[in-house]
Amino acid sequence: MLTPPSAAPAGSLSFRGLWLFSPRRDALLLLVPLALTVIAWMVSTALAQPVRGPVNRMAIWTAQYLLGNGTHVVLTFLLFAVHRDVLTAEPRQPRMVLLGSLGMLGVAALLFTFYYVDSTGYSYVVSVLFNVLGLHHILSQCKGFWALHTLRGSQSGLPAPVPLERRLQQAFVPLMLTLVLVRLFFVAETALPGDTPYLDIHQGTPLPHGAMAVMLLVWLGYFGLLFRTLLRSGAASGPKVLYLLTVAVATGLTLVLPGWGNVMLPGLHGLEYYLLTAKMMEPREGDAPSRVSRAWIWPLMVLSMLPLLALGVVHLLIAGASHGTVSAAATDLRSHVVLRGLTTLSLAVVLSHYFADALIYRFRLPSIRRVMLRRLGFSS
């Protein structure tokens, strides 16, 4: 006879019925970004390449375009096209998404013009804009997955999170965002004399590399307290603990070695969105007949992302794998006006995705929560 999850002793991990997608998909979500990072690091080390060498840049490109950190942004709008209720869950939402997208297109047009006025200033502005917004977006999605794991556990009979876990969850985004941004922009990348931060925008003399030790102590204290809380408050969800352990590794790696953290954390984010979108595109009981069957979900997702993937391939062929993310690439493409225009358009899509996601996942609003949880398969 199986022991109910709620009756299991403190410190035990339950797995049955607690996976968000399936045991195989949840495992691949966690292992693929880690495997890409570890294998690329081993190859880079074996070839005695610097941290920002070709292997690292290619691994970043792979996380960006194949694992989906950059290409997944169109999936939000594909979801709107397939399931209109996601867009209309709140009465003012369609207008807000439209106006926000037009506004982001305007911002991208300003960036396009700015590039030809001051390409160096452009690279600095884009680096700050997309790294700050992008990192906030990535961490917010991690927090959302944390909440979904908690909801899955609640539906399966696990005890509700203790107040301390909830407080730690609320602190996750601001704390990790602060730590990682300080590391990327204000701490010397290595201990070598005169070294600059990982993202150098001429921000002045950086903090010494040793400052990273203080940030690691804060990181260790946060996650140490979190896992202690999870394992001492009764039976815990095994998939939830594994997911948070992966997030801890990804954020910690970003603090220690930003070049490799910039592979794992964005790669995790893209794969998360792939699985979320595929789950939400599935037809639910009570839906009107849809032209998109289950068999066509993944092919349609791939087809919708092909233009951005093609743009990434063109960038790769012309300039090589760029340091940083697709949106922060500072490659000089002044003579390629059409390519610059397409790149600018892709930046507008990225910004619009950030804006739209901030609206459609406002679970504090009952109408949005009801629609989104139904699409995710948590309610009928």
Side-chain angles (χ1 to χ4, degrees), residues 79-80 83-90 92-94 97 360 371:
L79 186 60
F80 291 161
H83 293 304
R84 292 279 298 173
D85 58 339
V86 175
L87 179 62
T88 61
E90 201 275 330
R92 296 175 298 172
Q93 194 163 266
V97 169
I360 66 175
V371 169

Side-chain angles (χ1 to χ4, degrees), residues 190-261:
T190 70
L192 296 174
D195 201 11
T196 61
Y198 180 74
L199 294 173
D200 182 16
I201 55 173
H202 287 188
Q203 57 268 55
T205 304
L207 297 172
H209 184 68
M212 186 184 68
V214 176
M215 292 185 289
L216 281 175
L217 284 175
V218 176
W219 170 87
L220 182 63
Y222 174 86
F223 280 105
L225 181 59
L226 172 60
F227 289 118
R228 179 177 180 271
T229 302
L230 289 173
L231 297 176
R232 293 189 63 178
S233 58
S237 164
K240 176 177 169 178
V241 170
L242 290 177
Y243 176 74
L244 291 174
L245 182 61
T246 303
V247 172
V249 171
T251 52
L253 182 61
T254 305
L255 293 176
V256 177
L257 295 170
W260 296 110

Side-chain angles (χ1 to χ4, degrees), residues 2 5 16 25 45 98 154 169 189 224 226 230 236 267 277 283 338:
L2 294 174
R16 184 181 295 273
R25 289 189 176 186
T45 302
L98 175 60
S154 176
Q169 188 178 27
E189 187 173 359
L226 172 60
L230 289 173
T277 304
V338 174

Side-chain angles (χ1 to χ4, degrees), residues 150-169:
T150 298
L151 181 58
R152 179 70 78 202
S154 176
Q155 290 182 337
S156 299
L158 290 180
V162 298
L164 180 55
E165 181 188 342
R166 294 190 182 278
R167 290 197 296 271
L168 290 170
Q169 188 178 27

Side-chain angles (χ1 to χ4, degrees), residues 39-93:
I39 292 172
W41 174 80
M42 291 174 64
V43 172
S44 179
T45 302
L47 296 177
Q49 291 186 358
V51 173
R52 303 195 194 199
V55 173
N56 176 253
R57 294 198 302 270
M58 194 64 209
I60 290 173
W61 187 94
T62 301
Q64 185 70 20
Y65 289 99
L66 299 183
L67 299 192
N69 182 54
T71 48
H72 81 274
V73 296
V74 300
L75 297 181
T76 297
F77 305 99
L78 175 64
L79 186 60
F80 291 161
V82 174
H83 293 304
R84 292 279 298 173
D85 58 339
V86 175
L87 179 62
T88 61
E90 201 275 330
R92 296 175 298 172
Q93 194 163 266

